[in-house]
Amino acid sequence: MTDLARIRNVAIIAHIDHGKSTLADRLIERCGGLQKREMTSQVLDSMELERERGITIKAQTVRLAYRGSDGSDHVVNLVDTPGHVDFSYEVSRSLAACEGSLLVVDATQGVEAQTLANAYQAVDHDHEIVPVLNKMDLASAEPDRVKQQIEDVIGIDASGALEVSAKTGQGIETVLDALIARLPPPAGDADAPLTALLVDSWYDPYLGVVILVRVVHGRLTPRTKIRMMASGAEHEVERVGVFTPKKTLVDSLGPGEIGFITAAIKDVADCEVGDTITAVRRPAAEALPGFRPSVPVVFCGLFPVDSNDYERLRESLAKLRLNDSSFHYDAESSPALGFGFRCGFLGLLHLEIVQERLEREFGLDLVATAPSVVYRVTLTDGQELSLHNPADMPDPSRIRRIDEPWIHATILVPDEHLGGVLALCEEKRGEQLDLTYAGNRAMVIYRLPLNEVVFDFYDRLKSVSRGYASFDYRLEDYLESDLVKLAIMINGEPVDALALIAHRSQAERRGRALCVRLKELIPRQLFKIAIQAAIGGKIIARETVSPLRKDVLAKCYGGDVTRKRKLLEKQKKGKKRMRQIGNVEIPQEAFLAALKMGES
Amino acid sequence: MTGEPEPSSAGAQQALALYVHWPFCLSKCPYCDFNSHVRESVDQARWRGALLRELDHFAALLPRATVNSIFFGGGTPSLMPPETAAAVIDGAAARWTLATDAEITLEANPTSTEAARLEDFRTAGVNRVSLGVQALDDDALKFLGRGHDVAEARQAVALAQRIMPRSSFDLIYARPGQTVGAWRDELSEALSFADNHLSLYQLTIEKGTPFWRQARDGAFALPDDDTGRALYDLTQEIMEAAGFAAYEVSNHGRGGDACRHNLAYWRYDDYVGIGPGAHGRIAPAGEGRQATRQHAAPESWLAAVERAGHGTAETRSLDPDEQAREMLMMGLRLAEGVSEARLKGRTGCEPDRVLDRDGLTRLVEAGYLERRDGRLRATAAGRPLLNSLLIELLV
């Protein structure tokens, strides 16, 4: 146990790519947590994918010993937070474990949407915020302008902002000194009943589930019988330790301390982020505030390209879920795509990450259907349904109303691209709530239907702003909406994998665009192919792929019949990889590309 | 056109076609992916000796055969000394029975130097020549990398027609930028001086050729499929009007003329292939049908023959299903199609074993394929789509 007055708990928050993880590395190195040779770049991003994409998915923490320039010894717990909007709840739990935040801002870029969203969250947690201007080694750094921006846009005092370069190590000491001087030590009662925040959890093949905790009151020691207050799960603690960043066992964790425990837990689902851990023997009367069960927001179908991979996909999903209880999956079958799984995610990035891990770590070839949000459908008999698969859409005559989720979106964009961003938001049925300027940057707040955002919003936003817009959102509420199912038919047969739910005002245009795109993607075949889009039985668009005109070897002399036969067999194999809809073969690429389609 | 042979009964003389590959060219044409090579010099006596030794080898495997056709292909076999052709023809006659009406074809370039030797080839026993005219447009000939011009080619054709009992020439159409009108004129001109046979190929880009790289890099583009098809349809129309039957996808004959040797391939008769890279389909006594493949590199082939008496790189037994698929692949190129009884007789495979029933039904319903009177044939609408047909049709 450490003396409370000597502890400082700090979260690092930043917009993506502003150098958060590199800064963490420098701080670890400075405190001697690792020898230089042990430092791999961005130690705290442990997953390969995290490192590659520069995104932290799991909250990571490290306990550092620091002797200040005044000679005082302190323990600094550094918590690196997930860096993407999909994980804002996880960020909030990391913040709840700390008394202050390092707000890292790229001195060449300035404030971006996630800087803002994260800073507001830190303010909501009553954090002492230490602004850090990173990348000061670059010639294009503009510290004064960025400080002004922090004050104007976020509304916090930036006069004490530190100027550092995580890359060169410039100013690293000032960061540590500022933490000691400005952050309040944690408060807590070691003799009160155990109350600890479950910050994050992950699966370790040797230890079982590893739980990252922040002790608020009481003490966590090995052999303590603990209970998760929300899930009700009970386990006996096996190990208690801290990350230095190496796992190091300790006798106990007391108030204000951040560390890990293991308790021979097999299933991460028992360990929900934000839950309160207490002792079975003398439980806390009240759980810590702010727990929210994780609910998938975006769904899509994942199908193996090769139907023989179905079992492998199931096993791989199970393995991934060991480490990530925030995604859900259920078996699903589709006439077009065969057997697969309907999966739910925290957001689009989360979806992409899971899909990529399945393809990369497990070597699976997947087809993903169009992402869908969760609609609330009220039937005429009063029954309510949650709907996220267009195939499950009831007949319109049975539907009384459909509600769809809306988000509160914050977009920061340089002046010259504002027009494009506004046009995009309007096209996506957005309602403008606010528009302000800070220097030459505009900040727009919109209410947007989430289904428009999961469709192609990110790509479009990137292209209309040439990559300069940053975006953050939070889910707001459900509102009634005029939604219809857009069905796609190939030679009269509905293709479930291509169906989608759209707002009536968008459905026709989207249907026409989808037909045109499919026409480009489906190769000519022996027979004519009709591609149709329909809304409630009414055909609203039609395209025709005319039959193949020429496909024969001009010159075929005896010579090498074998080669020709093999060529034919190869083509035949290629055909098997296509999906058969009636007598039409649709290449996998057609599904993928059609689903990714951007509207122009 | 010669009639289809009946299934041969055991012990009878085997019917055989003989292919002789001469792998050398003066230069490589940019579209060609055949086994052709440019060499400074060729030891003609060694090559002649090696070809005869391969004849010995195959004659030992197939002692009782009647050779109905010999085809000298390449490469550029018209660069071969006529004495070599004579030696091979006489050699075949000495080892097997050479049919009295055997068709003996030589592929030749229509250059004046090669045309000048046609008389000697005729004396050697060649009775049919197939000239690689390729185009009646000097710019197109340059593009195709040919060593002759139109005037020279026409003289060569005229000479061949005087010297040889039968002759044919090739044209390549659907060239980059070629319009329907230009092809109509070119083909009509060709008909004005053609003998009774023409081979008319659409230009195809084969992987690994200079044309393939150029097309990939956008140096030129072939006509799209719709134009290609329009050119094909026009070809059928013009040739039919001129009395030439399209007996195969790219081959047209008047008054029953057809290349008997090539018909042997398309009808899946047995053939022996000698020379570098030659392929064969043979059925030695006591064994099933085999696919043979000779070493492709000229020097490796020569060394192998001199060492082992043959240059066979691979001999592979073909099971009845494989044979049936090959026979259908080849036979459906012909207007006459494939006789199901003959398919069963030659391969031992029931046709339905290799036919996809649903695919067959769809193709027949669509009018691409006919199955009647004991024959399976691709219709005029189906033949230009034969690859797709076969993928749909064969199991």
Side-chain angles (χ1 to χ4, degrees), chain A residues 52-69:
Chain A
E52 194 161 307
R53 296 179 73 134
I55 300 165
T56 309
I57 301 169
K58 292 275 174 196
Q60 306 277 336
T61 186
V62 60
R63 174 186 176 133
L64 302 173
Y66 180 64
R67 174 162 293 175
S69 39

Side-chain angles (χ1 to χ4, degrees), chain B residues 297-318:
Chain B
E299 290 74 19
S300 324
W301 175 83
L302 188 63
V305 174
E306 291 180 345
R307 188 177 61 242
H310 65 85
T312 307
E314 187 188 4
T315 302
R316 210 170 64 82
S317 292
L318 298 166

Side-chain angles (χ1 to χ4, degrees), chain A residues 240-251 260:
Chain A
V240 175
V242 294
F243 296 101
T244 67
K246 293 177 221 171
K247 283 193 201 81
T248 308
L249 295 184
V250 297
D251 295 338
F260 70 87

